[in-house]
């Protein structure tokens, strides 16, 4: 039979009054739930915000694909850090194939790279990565902060960090190469804008020269170190990758395609592993809270045995007694979880601000959803742990219960 | 003549304990007519409490037939037994047994709500309280704030709220002083005169004197 609302109120009244009678005890156990809910919600929000922030950072580099010669197994070092294997390169024919496939999805450009000794004024020696790019590509891919793109045969661009370290400015002369194996003297025509880690081509510590200058010094024209593809739409990365390997690696593996979005997903997944671990710890605090609720409910049942006897003897049904105690646990749970949700909002914001340093994703749904989730978990745990004590109360023998003091 | 309100036929109640079975009621038979006032007496351990629990439908006999207002309680499940307690029986206990969390008024209203599934809007509860001598002001208090006599009055009002056929009284004056006890007994006598069947357990012969008939139990059997 469905119980009308007004009737439920009597049982609710009894539950609420029992809680009020044991205020301190009830508050303490509600507090346990509050802390548990805060822990689990704040951790969830922290994880969600971390993931959002990192994946936003990653997506700026996520649109880059790099095609390098297949070196067998492993591979996958960052592009341009130069494997010293001079034999492996991307041929002109392979480049043409790559261009044919990938050019409709974005910008494709070949790149030469080498790591070499450089000598600046006062005979200061150092090492730098040397990139060779076609003049057109250079203008498309790079930004010059100071100065101009190369205008004469021996003009080069340098990265900001290199310029700072070696005290280079526009017009500075650099000797590239070992003294014994021949050197080339170049002139700095421009200093590149800082690219940071999230660029397709990290030039901060590099020297960039035209293809002509590069091949005239190192030789190997048409033997590219890598081909970079800047995708217009990151979602095409898989299509392009499959098309490239399908075409070029048909007979044997000659190229490897690395896709920085896969790195992004690796980072995201390691963040989520970390967050799951933190949430597991938070779950333990909820478990502790559950035990305390269980204890409080058992105490409430034990203290009220004779009252249960009275209720049963004057005609209260078993399920009504059960309901009364479940209500009691639910009220404690609801109060505890509500306080938990409100505090989670505050604590979560502080934790995100402190640990992630960026709260711009805080109010998004995949962060905010941990509030209702925490609330539901907290309340559910209270009701579930209240079930057994309630069941015990309901199934007490009324004669025995009446006899109790 | 009406059929008897309580018919006990050869009931036996056996408690199984670790030390062996204890026979609390031994093939006991008893008939109580509608409108009777019966006192049950006996030394402790005689089985009178067990008999009261059977008559009050708090427990069912191991063997035999027990008819309360025509219903065989041994055929009832817990739900129906509880329902019978709610609407056919009224209880008055030695220790009043009011619900400490509810006010006097709410204590009386509670079984009414259980039965009618709604709050009392007829003034029935208030009238009942008035009739047992509990003022409106007193009715707002919790049981702990009332004297023993006042609590027992509230308990009587509670027992009467669903207009039961039988009033079960377990030592109703046991915790009261003589004067208050007398008032309570007078009240019960009046209720009996108005047609209520009353079954009362007591060990006080003076209290038993108010009854039409006294049944004495010893070792689970009726002596007189």
């Amino acid at each position: 039979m469905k119980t009308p609302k007004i009737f439920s109120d009597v049982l609710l009244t009894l539950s609420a009054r029992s809680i009020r009678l044991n205020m301190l005890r009830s508050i303490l156990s509600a507090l346990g739930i509050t802390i548990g809910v805060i822990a689990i919600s704040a951790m969830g929000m922290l994880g969600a915000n971390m993931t959002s922030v990192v994946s936003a950072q990653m997506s700026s580099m996520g649109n880059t694909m790099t095609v390098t010669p297949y070196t067998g197994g492993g591979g996958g070092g960052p592009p341009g850090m130069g494997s010293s294997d001079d034999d492996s390169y991307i041929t002109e024919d392979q480049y043409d194939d790559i261009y044919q496939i990938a050019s409709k999805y974005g910008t494709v450009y070949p790149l030469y790279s080498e790591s070499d000794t450089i000598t600046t004024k006062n005979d200061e020696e150092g090492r730098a990565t040397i990139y060779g790019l076609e003049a057109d590509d250079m203008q498309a891919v790079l930004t010059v902060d100071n100065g101009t793109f190369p205008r004469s045969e021996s003009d080069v661009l340098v990265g900001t960090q290199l310029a700072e370290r070696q005290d280079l400015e526009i017009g500075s002369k650099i000797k590239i190469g070992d003294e014994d194996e021949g050197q080339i003297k170049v002139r700095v025509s421009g200093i590149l804008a800082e690219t940071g880690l999230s660029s397709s081509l990290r030039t901060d510590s590099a020297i960039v020269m035209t293809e002509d200058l590069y091949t005239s010094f190192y030789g190997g024209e048409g033997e590219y170190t890598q081909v970079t593809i800047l995708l217009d739409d990151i979602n095409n990365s898989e299509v392009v990758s499959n098309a490239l390997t399908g075409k070029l690696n048909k007979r044997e593996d000659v190229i490897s395609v690395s896709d920085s979005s896969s790195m992004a997903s690796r980072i995201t997944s390691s963040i989520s592993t970390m967050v799951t671990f933190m949430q597991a710890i938070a779950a333990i605090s909820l478990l502790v809270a559950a035990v305390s609720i269980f204890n409080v409910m058992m105490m409430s049942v034990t203290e009220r045995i004779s009252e249960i006897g009275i209720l049963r003897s004057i005609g209260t049904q078993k399920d009504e007694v059960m309901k009364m105690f479940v209500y009691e646990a639910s009220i404690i749970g609801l109060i505890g979880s509500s306080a938990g949700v409100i505090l989670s909002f505050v604590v979560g914001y502080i934790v995100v601000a402190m640990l992630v340093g960026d709260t711009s994703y805080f109010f998004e749904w995949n962060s905010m959803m941990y509030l209702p989730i925490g609330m539901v978990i907290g309340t559910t745990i209270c009701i579930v742990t209240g079930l057994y004590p309630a069941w015990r109360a309901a199934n007490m023998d009324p004669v025995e219960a009446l006899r109790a003091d | 003549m009406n059929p008897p309100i309580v018919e006990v036929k050869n009931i036996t109640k056996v408690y199984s304990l670790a030390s062996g079975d204890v026979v609390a009621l031994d093939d006991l038979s008893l008939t109580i007519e509608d409108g009777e006032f019966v006192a049950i007496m006996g030394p402790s351990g005689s089985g009178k409490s067990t008999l009261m629990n059977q008559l009050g439908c708090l427990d069912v006999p191991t063997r035999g037939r027990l008819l309360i207002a025509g219903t065989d309680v041994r055929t009832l499940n817990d739900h129906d037994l509880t329902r019978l307690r709610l609407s056919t029986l009224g209880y008055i206990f030695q220790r009043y047994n009011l619900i400490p969390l509810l006010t006097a008024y709410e204590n009386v209203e509670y079984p009414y709500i259980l039965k009618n599934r709604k709050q009392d809007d007829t003034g029935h509860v208030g009238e009942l309280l008035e009739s047992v001598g509990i003022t409106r002001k007193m009715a707002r208090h919790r049981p702990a704030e009332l004297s023993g006599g006042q609590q027992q009055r509230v308990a009587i009002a509670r027992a009467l709220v669903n207009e039961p056929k039988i009033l079960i009284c377990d030592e109703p004056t046991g915790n009261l002083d003589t004067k208050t006890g007398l008032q309570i007994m007078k009240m019960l006598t009046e209720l009996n005169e108005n047609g209520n069947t009353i079954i009362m357990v007591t060990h006080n012969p003076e209290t038993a004197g108010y009854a039409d008939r006294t049944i004495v139990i010893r070792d689970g059997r009726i002596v007189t």
Side-chain angles (χ1 to χ4, degrees):
Chain A
M1 177 165 51
K2 200 171 176 312
T3 316
K5 190 173 170 288
I6 193 103
F7 173 64
S8 303
D9 285 350
V10 175
L11 298 180
L12 253 180
T13 305
L14 279 170
S15 314
R17 285 186 191 172
S18 162
I19 289 173
R20 228 172 30 215
L21 199 68
N22 302 296
M23 199 50 132
L24 184 64
R25 198 171 75 189
S26 307
I27 286 178
L28 285 177
S29 54
L31 196 63
I33 286 293
T34 305
I35 293 168
V37 168
I38 293 175
I40 215 154
S41 303
M43 286 304 150
M45 289 195 279
L46 178 64
N49 281 277
M50 245 183 210
T51 312
S52 298
V53 169
V54 170
S55 53
Q57 279 171 359
M58 299 297 291
S59 73
S60 63
M61 65 183 283
N63 59 354
T64 307
M65 292 178 78
T66 316
V67 184
T68 48
Y70 181 77
T71 51
M81 287 315 196
S83 69
S84 55
D85 189 354
D86 287 334
D87 292 340
S88 57
Y89 52 82
I90 303 233
T91 65
E92 198 97 41
D93 285 347
Q94 287 168 342
Y95 171 71
D96 286 342
D97 285 339
I98 295 168
Y99 185 83
Q100 215 178 1
I101 292 166
S103 61
K104 55 177 173 285
Y105 295 106
T107 314
V108 183
Y109 66 91
L111 181 76
Y112 299 91
S113 80
E114 193 71 58
S115 176
D116 211 339
T117 313
I118 59 166
T119 316
T120 53
K121 59 180 176 186
N122 309 330
D123 284 336
E124 253 185 82
E125 282 202 4
R127 281 193 85 79
T129 307
I130 321 291
Y131 288 124
L133 265 89
E134 276 181 41
D136 294 347
D137 294 336
M138 206 184 271
Q139 303 216 5
V141 178
L142 300 174
T143 315
V144 174
D145 224 11
N146 201 349
T148 60
F149 282 102
R151 272 183 293 206
S152 77
E153 189 91 340
S154 61
D155 280 355
V156 296
L157 299 170
V158 294
T160 43
Q161 280 176 21
L162 184 71
E164 228 165 87
R165 208 161 51 227
Q166 303 285 358
D167 210 9
L168 297 168
E169 48 197 41
I170 295 167
S172 294
K173 300 281 197 295
I174 311 169
K175 278 185 248 171
I176 300 173
D178 210 305
E179 224 168 325
D180 307 329
E181 293 173 16
Q183 285 179 320
I184 182 174
K185 209 169 173 183
V186 295
R187 177 186 162 273
V188 176
S189 75
I191 294 170
L192 290 161
E194 194 161 343
T195 58
L197 284 173
S198 60
S199 166
S200 59
L201 194 57
R202 286 168 218 166
T203 55
D204 287 349
S205 298
I207 296 172
V208 183
M209 55 178 66
T210 58
E211 184 187 11
D212 294 342
L213 182 60
Y214 185 96
T215 50
S216 73
F217 180 57
Y218 292 108
E221 189 175 353
E223 297 173 2
Y224 304 114
T225 313
Q226 67 170 66
V227 177
T228 304
I229 304 159
L230 297 174
L231 293 170
D232 295 333
D233 182 355
I234 190 171
N235 296 319
N236 287 328
S237 68
E238 196 148 343
V239 179
V240 176
S241 172
N242 288 342
L244 289 176
T245 49
K247 169 106 180 160
L248 287 115
N249 291 349
K250 206 188 293 176
R251 235 167 286 159
E252 54 169 334
D253 286 348
V254 292
I255 56 156
S256 11
V257 180
S258 90
D259 172 0
S260 49
S261 68
S262 69
M263 181 156 82
S265 73
R266 273 205 303 279
I267 291 177
T268 310
S269 94
S270 62
I271 288 175
S272 76
T273 308
M274 197 171 74
V275 168
T276 309
F277 176 70
M278 292 192 294
Q279 277 178 324
I281 293 171
I284 291 172
S285 76
L286 261 181
L287 197 70
V288 173
V291 172
S292 109
I293 296 274
F294 185 80
N295 188 32
V296 163
M297 291 309 300
M298 285 310 273
M299 276 164 75
S300 182
V301 170
T302 313
E303 275 175 10
R304 291 161 73 191
I305 288 178
S306 70
E307 192 187 322
I308 295 163
I310 301 166
L311 289 170
R312 292 281 287 129
S313 68
I314 62 174
T316 312
Q317 296 290 357
K318 274 184 184 178
D319 61 320
E320 287 163 350
V321 173
M322 175 133 182
K323 236 182 249 168
M324 204 170 85
F325 283 93
V326 171
Y327 281 155
E328 191 173 325
S330 312
I331 293 171
I332 294 176
L334 270 174
I335 292 174
S337 323
S338 306
V341 164
I342 295 164
L343 289 172
S344 293
F345 190 80
V346 180
V347 172
Y349 192 87
I350 294 170
V351 167
V352 168
M354 273 171 30
L355 294 184
V356 183
D358 183 354
T359 53
S360 49
Y361 298 96
F362 186 74
F363 296 99
E364 279 181 9
W365 170 243
N366 59 357
S367 156
M368 282 289 112
M369 71 176 182
Y370 285 96
L371 295 177
I373 286 175
M375 173 119 190
V376 168
I377 291 176
T379 315
T380 310
I381 279 180
C382 279
I383 295 171
V384 168
T385 46
L387 279 178
Y388 173 72
W391 179 86
R392 261 199 39 167
N395 286 284
M396 239 166 231
D397 179 5
V399 177
E400 293 285 326
L402 269 177
R403 211 176 288 156
D405 266 310
Chain B
M1 194 179 152
N2 289 335
I5 191 96
V6 175
E7 249 188 297
V8 180
K9 277 185 192 154
N10 310 97
I11 63 165
T12 301
K13 181 69 188 178
V14 182
Y15 290 109
S16 298
L17 301 179
S19 52
D21 287 355
V22 174
V23 181
L25 294 177
D26 187 5
D27 203 30
L28 187 143
S29 296
L30 172 70
T31 306
I32 296 169
E33 302 297 334
D34 195 4
E36 245 189 313
F37 189 163
V38 178
I40 297 173
M41 291 186 76
S44 54
S46 61
K48 64 179 192 298
S49 293
T50 308
L51 179 61
M52 277 308 259
N53 289 338
Q54 315 300 312
L55 296 176
C57 297
L58 290 166
D59 201 358
V60 287
T62 316
R63 281 191 296 277
R65 254 159 76 84
L66 172 56
L67 297 168
I68 302 283
T71 315
D72 187 353
V73 300
R74 283 191 69 214
T75 63
L76 299 181
N77 60 19
D78 183 78
H79 184 273
D80 294 335
L81 217 53
T82 307
R83 194 81 204 149
L84 192 70
R85 290 203 292 269
L86 177 64
S87 41
T88 311
L89 302 168
Y91 296 83
I92 297 160
F93 302 95
Q94 178 177 358
R95 285 184 303 180
Y96 332 124
N97 281 354
L98 298 173
I99 299 161
L101 294 171
L102 300 178
T103 64
Y105 182 91
E106 287 166 333
N107 260 287
V108 178
E109 194 190 24
Y110 179 81
Y112 181 91
I113 295 173
L114 280 187
K115 188 183 178 191
N116 300 297
R117 308 267 145 184
K118 65 180 180 67
Q119 276 173 309
D120 173 39
D121 47 16
T122 59
H124 178 55
V125 172
E127 282 166 25
L128 256 177
L129 277 163
E130 210 119 314
S131 73
V132 296
I134 298 292
T135 63
R136 263 170 208 283
K137 205 178 146 218
M138 277 191 261
R140 279 198 294 271
H141 289 283
R142 297 274 173 94
E145 296 157 353
L146 300 174
S147 71
Q150 287 166 339
Q151 286 190 58
Q152 196 61 302
R153 287 159 195 269
V154 175
I156 290 172
R158 178 180 69 182
L160 294 171
V161 75
N162 284 336
E163 285 150 7
K165 294 201 170 73
I166 307 164
L167 276 179
I168 306 272
C169 310
D170 189 358
E171 302 272 14
T173 60
N175 272 22
L176 300 174
D177 60 72
T178 321
K179 196 180 148 207
T180 320
L182 272 171
Q183 288 170 353
I184 296 294
M185 285 319 297
K186 230 175 108 187
M187 205 175 279
L188 289 178
T189 313
E190 273 168 33
L191 285 168
N192 178 242
E193 280 162 6
N194 291 335
N196 286 290
T197 308
I198 298 177
I199 305 170
M200 175 178 70
V201 162
T202 183
H203 61 259
N204 184 345
E206 243 174 83
T207 312
Y210 287 89
D212 304 333
R213 176 156 67 110
T214 301
I215 296 165
V216 180
I217 293 185
R218 190 162 294 155
D219 298 328
R221 286 187 197 139
I222 292 175
V223 180
T224 49

